[in-house]
Amino acid sequence: MRKFNLLEKEIIEKLVNSPALNEQGLILCSKFLEDNYIGERFDMSLAVECIEKKVLMLLPKKENFEELQRAKIIFVITFFNLIKDLQNERQIYLIGDNDKEGLLGPQFSEKISFAKDLDEIICDSFFKLIAVSQDLVEYVKNDFKTDEEIRHNETLRISKIGIGVAIIIGLSSIILCIYSDKISDNTVKLDTKQFNTLIKYQDSIGNNMINFLDTTRIEKDTTKHRH
């Protein structure tokens, strides 16, 4: 099953959870649209004449009309192509004929026509009953994840747990070794006299190195003056 965008997920979820669908097992496509997306409270109507395969979208003239028109056109394209895709994937079944006509919603003043191919897609489902497969119901219940995706995510989760446990065990082993070394009788310790002797020895080495560098520098300077 392909991935769905946010609007498509919203439509599918509303369809699967539709009271009419849950009570009767079927819902009329136009009825579903009337309950959720088309009508006076949604500022949108559809006039559908399926014999001639012609569809008009009707909108009220109001502020931000172009933005409203764009949003409604996107919805119509998304909804009816989604219905077509779900039917092709056998996630829903359409029952009935497509030779009816009617107006869904009030007579708004602004009329927008669609391309012929979209008119045909709309007429292929608008007046039909929709039956939903159990696979689609389970898909929605699983938060839009397929069985394969669920198994894959579970495998990843188990792998992450295993890696986490391995890291904890590894760190525990390192900490245990460090702690064991600290309490071991084999630990080398220096008394105060030994420590002072070591410091004097390091100072002696440092002084000798400084004297060597100074002697080398003096010899180089002498050589330069001779030349």
Side-chain angles (χ1 to χ4, degrees), residues 16 21-22 91 132-142:
V16 167
L21 184 68
N22 291 328
Q91 298 301 314
V132 175
S133 71
Q134 188 59 35
D135 285 345
L136 188 60
V137 174
E138 293 299 323
Y139 184 61
V140 173
K141 286 183 180 179
N142 292 330

Side-chain angles (χ1 to χ4, degrees), residues 21-198:
L21 184 68
N22 291 328
E23 291 173 5
Q24 304 172 15
L26 297 168
I27 186 170
L28 194 64
C29 181
S30 57
K31 171 62 176 171
F32 172 76
L33 287 169
E34 185 178 29
D35 290 343
N36 296 280
Y37 295 106
I38 294 180
E40 186 170 5
R41 61 195 174 109
F42 300 107
D43 290 334
M44 176 184 177
S45 299
L46 278 182
V48 182
E49 215 282 55
C50 286
I51 296 176
E52 298 294 330
K53 295 191 183 301
K54 292 182 180 179
V55 180
L56 284 178
M57 180 172 67
L58 291 78
L59 303 175
K61 186 66 176 179
K62 56 194 312 182
E63 291 184 9
N64 301 322
F65 175 76
E66 289 185 0
E67 183 178 339
L68 173 66
Q69 174 179 298
R70 187 182 308 110
K72 297 304 182 183
I73 289 175
I74 290 173
F75 168 77
V76 170
I77 293 172
T78 301
F79 177 84
F80 287 100
N81 277 289
L82 173 62
I83 294 298
K84 180 181 178 182
D85 288 349
L86 292 175
Q87 182 188 26
N88 290 339
E89 293 181 11
R90 298 187 178 181
Q91 298 301 314
I92 65 170
Y93 304 93
L94 299 178
I95 304 168
D97 51 38
N98 56 356
D99 58 355
K100 298 181 177 67
E101 63 181 53
L103 173 65
L104 186 61
Q107 284 275 5
F108 291 125
S109 60
E110 305 303 309
K111 298 177 176 61
I112 297 97
S113 59
F114 300 112
K116 184 177 179 181
D117 56 345
L118 182 57
D119 287 348
E120 292 178 354
I121 292 173
I122 294 172
C123 286
D124 283 341
S125 59
F126 191 81
F127 291 108
K128 291 184 178 181
L129 292 165
I130 300 175
V132 175
S133 71
Q134 188 59 35
D135 285 345
L136 188 60
V137 174
E138 293 299 323
Y139 184 61
V140 173
K141 286 183 180 179
N142 292 330
D143 194 26
F144 295 91
K145 293 181 177 65
T146 63
D147 291 341
E148 291 77 10
E149 288 174 322
I150 293 172
R151 286 194 293 269
H152 177 68
N153 291 338
E154 183 65 18
T155 301
L156 287 179
R157 187 181 69 85
I158 294 172
S159 298
K160 289 178 180 179
I161 293 174
I163 293 171
V165 171
I167 292 173
I168 291 172
I169 292 174
L171 290 174
S172 299
S173 299
I174 294 171
I175 294 170
L176 182 60
C177 288
I178 294 173
Y179 179 74
S180 298
D181 287 342
K182 285 185 177 181
I183 64 174
S184 174
D185 292 334
N186 295 326
T187 303
V188 177
K189 296 181 180 179
L190 296 176
D191 59 24
T192 303
K193 184 177 180 180
Q194 290 172 323
F195 179 77
N196 290 332
T197 301
L198 180 60

